[in-house]
């Protein structure tokens, strides 16, 4: 074999029959192992290419695997490549007489859920977030083969979740469509209940290879166990230390229990990291070893030496963004911008970075669909106050905040006034002259006019603090949370993030203009994903599978990573794996950034960094 392989890679590639589990550390050449093992099966062991099925988790990964395979083969072998969804859909398509028009797309799914939520008058904290959380939980129920009647929902109360779930299934039945989760669930039901179908597909694919096996969920795992039949010619490649999709049912337990479910499993560890420097590998090893629920591995490098990982300390997110932008200005003399990544736990953290990259005229690209903080209803309300303060003719803004907090101005009264005034006369002045208003209503309008006058004289940061505290908007949010029976903490955190956005601006006009520019910029980036260039901005989840010369992992503080919502031992271990994935994206340079404060509160470094003290500060 004219290929430079290490001993463990060669052992995996030369495997013939029976189950094999390949534990592949970061940058260990797993795609090479899979593609050459397929080639070996065909050319060394005379396996019919039509008997081989190769499963990946994404379409792009499948296309890349297919391309890599055909690049090393002289013949155009008829091997089946596909994702779990495409492979399982192939099984159920003929069984249920489905075609492409039978599949519900994501936008249709969202619209159905939104209609069900509106119909049942469900309470929520953040509308878009709530919709996504409900959709994720519906997926989790199906992927984990859970009876939805006993599922304990975290997004809403269990009874409400049952109603949404039931009605969603009924709508799909009426319009004769299935969603992507149904592809998996129906495949499981067919293989489980129909012996003839199960035998047919067991004979159709006698050799199964699966990439990124740590991402498998319960329904996929059960299907694979049935498909592998008695021969169990199943070859799985994965890394339990990179299992980070618990929210959709993926857990390292499936990889950990594989040898029990598939007897006589051969095990190989690809422990040579060809990607990163020895210093980065050493740090990452020391962090992930704190997890208990894992296979023990000794990941080694190739004696590639460079700088030790660098710990950056900043006062807050604004200083952090400024320091990173300045560092990138210097780094781009030696590295292409496309080979530099900024990785964060949640999309909200990207806001300060994006603004500073724009200030420094540094090109960037977004890997994720970026929800804007300014599209949140709280931001819209605060912007309405600011806009009304500097432009009394902005009647749309007045309508938005007229009763936030409660001023006891009747909705019909406001709408009638809006129709009369249009944008020619300020509604506030019109209402102030309305003789039918009660004295206490006039007093509330007078107070609002007084507050708007004060807001107009302040810098944006102080103006927003004034709106929250003096005008009473924060008190309104507490009443809102109480009425909706939701927690107020998340709402208050949004106000703190909005406050952060206003730091450094001298006038309300400039601040509002910057918001419009930023929203337009993010919208443009989100629409033109394929044509983006520059520094890569991505969440830790989306960074998986990528690699860069230079990586910045930002805001590494407790409450961010691990996330404040992660409480249990299992959740903390997944957060540590997520951190590990982020760090192992770096080839040459790794910067880990911590904050002293967040929203003016003192913060402590992530507990995952306790072993970083020996690295440079």
């Amino acid at each position: 074999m004219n290929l430079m392989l290490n001993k463990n890679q060669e052992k995996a590639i030369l495997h013939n029959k029976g189950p094999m589990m390949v534990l592949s550390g970061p940058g260990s050449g797993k795609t090479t192992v899979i593609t050459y093992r397929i080639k070996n099966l065909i050319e060394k062991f005379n396996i019919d290419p039509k008997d081989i099925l190769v499963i990946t988790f994404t379409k792009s990964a499948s296309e890349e695997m297919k391309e890599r395979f055909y690049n090393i083969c002289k013949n155009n072998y008829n091997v089946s490549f596909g994702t779990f969804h495409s492979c399982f859909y192939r099984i159920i398509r003929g069984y249920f007489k489905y075609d492409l028009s039978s599949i519900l797309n994501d936008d249709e799914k969202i619209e159905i859920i939104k209609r069900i939520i509106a119909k049942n008058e469900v309470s929520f904290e953040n509308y878009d977030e709530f919709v996504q959380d409900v959709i994720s939980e519906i997926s989790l129920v199906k992927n984990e083969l859970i009876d939805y009647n006993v599922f304990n929902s975290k997004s809403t109360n269990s009874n409400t979740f049952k109603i949404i779930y039931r009605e969603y299934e009924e709508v799909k039945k009426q319009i004769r469509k299935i969603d992507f989760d149904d592809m998996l669930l129906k495949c499981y039901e067919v293989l489980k209940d129909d012996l003839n179908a199960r035998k047919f597909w067991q004979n159709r694919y006698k050799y199964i290879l699966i990439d990124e096996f740590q991402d498998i969920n319960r329904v996929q795992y059960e299907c694979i166990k049935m498909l592998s039949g008695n021969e169990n010619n199943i070859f799985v490649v994965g890394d339990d230390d990179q299992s980070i999709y618990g929210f959709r049912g993926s857990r390292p337990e499936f990889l950990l229990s594989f040898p029990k479910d598939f007897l006589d499993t051969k095990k190989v560890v690809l422990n040579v990291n060809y990607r990163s420097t020895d210093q980065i590998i050493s740090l990452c090893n020391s962090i992930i070893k704190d997890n208990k629920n894992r296979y023990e591995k000794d990941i080694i490098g190739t004696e590639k030496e460079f700088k030790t990982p660098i710990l950056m300390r900043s006062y807050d997110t604004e200083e952090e963004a400024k320091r990173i932008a300045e560092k990138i200005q210097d780094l781009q003399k030696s590295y292409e911008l496309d080979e530099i990544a900024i990785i964060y736990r949640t999309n909200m953290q990207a806001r300060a970075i994006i603004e500073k990259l724009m200030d420094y005229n540094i090109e960037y690209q977004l890997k994720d669909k970026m929800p804007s903080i300014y599209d949140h209803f709280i931001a819209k309300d605060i912007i309405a106050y600011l806009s009304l303060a500097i432009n009394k003719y902005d009647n749309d803004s007045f309508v938005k905040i007229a009763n936030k907090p409660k001023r006891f101005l009747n909705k019909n009264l406001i709408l009638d006034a809006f129709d009369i005034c249009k944008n020619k006369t300020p509604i506030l002045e019109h209402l102030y002259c309305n003789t039918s208003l009660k004295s206490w209503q006039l007093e509330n309008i007078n107070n609002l006019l007084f507050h708007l006058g004060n807001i107009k004289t302040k810098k944006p940061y102080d103006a927003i603090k004034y709106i929250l505290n003096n005008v009473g908007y924060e008190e309104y949010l507490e009443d809102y949370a109480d009425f909706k029976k939701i927690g107020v903490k998340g709402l208050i955190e949004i106000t703190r993030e909005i406050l952060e956005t206003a730091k450094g601006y001298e006038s309300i006009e400039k601040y509002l203009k910057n918001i419009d520019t930023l929203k337009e910029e993010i919208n443009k980036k989100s629409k033109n994903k394929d044509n983006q260039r520059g520094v890569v901005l991505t969440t830790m989840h989306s960074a998986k599978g990528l690699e860069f010369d230079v990586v910045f992992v930002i805001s590494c503080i407790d409450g961010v990573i691990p996330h404040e919502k992660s409480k249990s031992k299992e959740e903390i271990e997944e957060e540590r794996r997520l951190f590990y994935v982020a760090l192992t994206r770096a080839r040459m340079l790794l910067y880990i950034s911590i904050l002293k404060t967040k929203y003016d509160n003192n913060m402590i470094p992530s507990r995952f960094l306790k072993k970083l003290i020996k690295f440079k500060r």
Side-chain angles (χ1 to χ4, degrees):
M1 192 174 290
N2 298 322
L3 183 68
M4 291 293 292
L5 297 169
N6 63 50
K7 189 171 74 174
N8 287 350
Q9 286 177 322
E10 193 166 293
K11 186 177 176 183
I13 286 170
L14 293 174
H15 177 70
N16 182 10
K17 290 184 176 293
M20 173 169 272
M21 177 178 66
V22 179
L23 299 175
S24 58
S28 61
K30 65 182 179 65
T31 304
T32 297
V33 166
I34 294 171
T35 51
Y36 274 89
R37 197 244 168 174
I38 303 167
K39 185 176 189 290
N40 235 34
L41 283 174
I42 298 167
E43 297 179 356
K44 184 177 174 65
F45 298 112
N46 299 314
I47 304 302
D48 189 332
K50 295 197 296 293
D51 290 343
I52 301 172
L53 173 64
V54 185
I55 303 177
T56 63
F57 275 82
T58 66
K59 187 177 179 181
S60 60
S62 179
E63 291 298 322
E64 183 190 348
M65 187 76 73
K66 189 175 182 178
E67 184 181 348
R68 292 272 294 272
F69 171 67
Y70 286 120
N71 282 342
I72 64 171
C73 294
K74 293 178 182 177
N75 298 311
N76 193 21
Y77 297 125
N78 188 22
V79 175
S80 294
F81 291 85
T83 63
F84 271 104
H85 286 93
S86 66
C87 293
F88 288 4
Y89 179 65
R90 201 177 303 156
I91 292 173
I92 65 171
R93 183 177 54 195
Y95 198 90
F96 292 104
K97 303 294 188 293
Y98 290 139
D99 57 36
L100 291 178
S101 66
S102 308
I103 301 170
L104 197 70
N105 67 42
D106 287 341
D107 290 338
E108 291 173 318
K109 186 174 187 175
I110 290 168
E111 281 308 308
I112 291 170
I113 295 296
K114 284 182 175 179
R115 288 201 301 270
I116 294 170
I117 289 169
K119 174 191 167 190
N120 290 282
E121 299 180 347
V122 180
S123 297
F124 45 81
E125 185 175 304
N126 180 318
Y127 182 58
D128 290 332
E129 189 177 298
F130 176 71
V131 170
Q132 288 302 326
D133 285 347
V134 168
I135 288 172
S136 293
E137 288 192 331
I138 290 173
S139 292
L140 184 64
V141 164
K142 294 181 179 183
N143 291 332
E144 285 290 274
L145 299 175
I146 300 171
D147 180 353
Y148 76 94
N149 287 299
V150 298
F151 179 68
N152 184 22
S153 172
K154 292 182 180 178
S155 62
T156 184
N157 66 69
S158 296
N159 190 54
T160 300
F161 177 79
K162 279 190 270 189
I163 292 169
I164 295 172
Y165 187 99
R166 223 169 16 235
E167 292 190 12
Y168 174 60
E169 293 303 301
E170 186 58 38
V171 170
K172 282 190 299 169
K173 191 175 176 182
Q174 289 170 3
I175 62 177
R176 297 181 180 179
K177 289 201 174 189
I178 61 170
D179 62 24
F180 285 96
D181 299 312
D182 294 328
M183 290 182 192
L184 309 183
L185 188 59
K186 288 185 179 295
C187 182
Y188 167 76
E189 290 167 352
V190 167
L191 294 175
K192 176 172 164 285
D193 299 333
D194 191 323
L195 179 62
N196 291 331
R198 186 164 70 248
K199 283 185 175 179
F200 173 84
W201 289 104
Q202 285 172 348
N203 289 325
R204 175 68 181 82
Y205 297 120
K206 296 184 175 69
Y207 287 80
I208 301 173
L209 298 90
I210 305 175
D211 187 23
E212 302 285 10
F213 194 76
Q214 76 280 347
D215 295 338
I216 204 166
N217 59 39
R218 170 64 65 189
V219 68
Q220 291 165 340
Y221 190 53
E222 295 301 327
C223 286
I224 288 301
K225 284 200 288 188
M226 289 187 281
L227 279 176
S228 63
N230 296 324
E231 296 296 320
N232 280 343
N233 290 323
I234 181 165
F235 183 90
V236 301
V237 181
D239 182 7
D240 51 311
D241 290 333
Q242 296 186 66
S243 178
I244 59 172
Y245 298 116
F247 59 90
R248 60 189 190 206
S250 303
R251 297 193 304 275
E253 281 78 6
F254 297 118
L255 200 51
L256 293 167
S257 65
F258 187 85
K260 300 173 191 170
D261 293 327
F262 295 88
L263 298 179
D264 301 319
T265 292
K266 301 285 192 303
K267 181 176 124 181
V268 174
V269 180
L270 303 183
N271 67 326
V272 181
N273 181 331
Y274 294 96
R275 175 189 301 156
S276 304
T277 64
D278 287 355
Q279 296 97 324
I280 292 172
I281 294 167
S282 175
L283 169 64
C284 296
N285 282 344
S286 70
I287 287 172
I288 199 62
K289 280 179 179 176
D290 284 342
N291 272 7
K292 306 302 178 192
N293 192 29
R294 63 186 290 267
Y295 286 113
E296 194 64 40
K297 308 174 200 71
D298 182 26
I299 304 298
I300 60 174
T302 56
E303 299 183 358
K304 184 163 60 176
E305 295 285 336
F306 199 52
K307 294 182 180 178
T308 58
I310 297 166
L311 187 63
M312 298 175 63
R313 295 181 184 271
S314 301
Y315 179 75
D316 58 12
T317 56
E318 301 304 309
E319 184 185 335
E320 176 184 59
K322 182 174 182 290
R323 291 188 65 194
I324 289 172
E326 289 172 348
K327 190 66 187 172
I328 290 173
Q329 273 193 325
D330 186 49
L331 286 167
Q332 65 182 330
K333 298 169 188 172
S334 306
Y335 299 92
E336 295 292 330
L337 287 180
D338 289 10
E339 291 300 337
I340 300 173
I342 301 171
I343 303 178
Y344 34 83
R345 176 64 181 84
T346 64
N347 275 314
M348 192 184 289
Q349 293 169 256
R351 191 271 315 162
I353 293 288
I354 291 173
E355 290 192 12
K356 203 55 67 177
L357 292 178
M358 287 172 64
D359 287 347
Y360 281 73
N361 200 27
I362 297 172
E363 210 171 352
Y364 68 93
Q365 53 183 305
L366 300 172
K367 278 292 174 192
D368 307 89
K369 185 178 179 183
M370 182 66 64
S372 172
I373 184 74
Y374 304 114
D375 289 330
H376 195 283
F377 83 86
I378 294 175
K380 289 178 178 178
D381 287 347
I382 289 171
I383 289 169
Y385 266 107
L386 297 174
S387 299
L388 188 59
I390 60 173
N391 177 16
K392 64 181 180 180
Y393 290 90
D394 188 354
N395 291 334
D396 288 310
S397 288
F398 170 74
V399 171
K400 189 177 291 294
I401 53 87
N403 281 301
K404 299 176 181 180
K406 203 74 176 168
R407 297 186 176 92
F408 303 100
L409 300 172
N410 182 276
K411 184 178 179 181
N412 290 331
L413 173 76
I414 294 169
L415 293 177
D416 288 345
F418 185 83
D419 287 337
I420 293 168
C421 297
K422 305 297 182 184
N423 284 320
K424 296 176 182 177
T425 307
I427 290 182
L428 269 169
E429 291 182 2
H430 173 81
L431 290 175
Y432 196 70
C433 298
N434 189 328
T435 55
S436 66
L437 290 181
K438 307 293 183 185
S439 59
W440 42 267
Q441 289 175 311
L442 285 171
E443 185 179 347
N444 286 337
I445 292 172
N446 198 42
N447 283 338
L448 176 57
L449 285 166
F450 169 77
H451 287 314
L452 291 172
N454 284 341
I455 291 167
K456 186 177 181 178
T457 64
K458 298 180 182 296
K459 293 179 181 180
Y461 184 84
D462 294 327
I464 294 172
K465 285 190 82 170
Y466 186 90
I467 293 165
L468 295 173
N469 300 322
N470 297 67
V471 176
Y473 188 78
E474 201 161 285
E475 191 176 325
Y476 156 75
L477 288 178
E478 290 170 0
D479 292 340
Y480 173 85
D482 186 56
F483 175 72
K484 291 285 188 179
K485 294 181 173 56
I486 57 176
V488 74
K489 186 179 178 182
L491 300 179
I492 298 302
E493 186 170 343
I494 295 294
T495 67
R496 298 300 178 261
E497 180 64 23
I498 294 165
L499 260 175
E500 289 288 310
T501 70
K503 284 181 176 177
Y505 288 94
E506 293 298 314
S507 73
I508 291 173
E509 288 85 353
K510 285 184 178 178
Y511 174 61
L512 294 178
K513 185 178 179 181
N514 181 70
I515 289 175
D516 290 337
T517 302
L518 190 65
K519 285 175 69 175
E520 185 180 337
E521 171 78 5
I522 291 174
N523 189 44
K524 187 168 67 177
K525 292 276 186 189
S526 297
K527 284 182 177 177
N528 299 303
K529 277 182 173 280
D530 296 336
N531 300 319
Q532 294 186 64
R533 307 293 299 169
V535 177
V536 176
L537 272 59
T538 177
T539 61
M540 292 179 177
H541 282 101
S542 295
K544 188 165 166 288
L546 305 177
E547 56 183 79
F548 306 91
D549 286 340
V550 183
V551 167
F552 293 87
V553 185
I554 69 169
S555 298
C556 299
I557 52 177
D558 260 11
V560 173
I561 181 74
H563 196 277
E564 63 181 356
K565 290 182 180 178
S566 297
K567 305 292 185 187
S568 69
K569 176 191 164 189
E570 291 76 19
E571 288 170 335
I572 295 297
E573 289 214 345
E574 177 156 325
E575 289 287 302
R576 188 179 282 107
R577 293 194 294 270
L578 189 57
F579 191 51
Y580 176 75
V581 165
L583 301 182
T584 55
R585 299 310 93 197
R587 295 191 195 105
M588 302 297 294
L589 284 173
L590 175 61
Y591 294 88
I592 300 172
S593 178
I594 61 174
L595 306 175
K596 184 178 180 182
T597 66
K598 184 186 178 193
Y599 308 144
D600 295 326
N601 295 319
N602 288 330
M603 307 305 295
I604 60 172
S606 169
R607 68 194 74 174
F608 302 150
L609 292 174
K610 63 184 180 182
K611 294 183 179 177
L612 192 60
I613 51 173
K614 60 184 177 182
F615 290 95
K616 183 178 176 182
R617 281 171 168 68

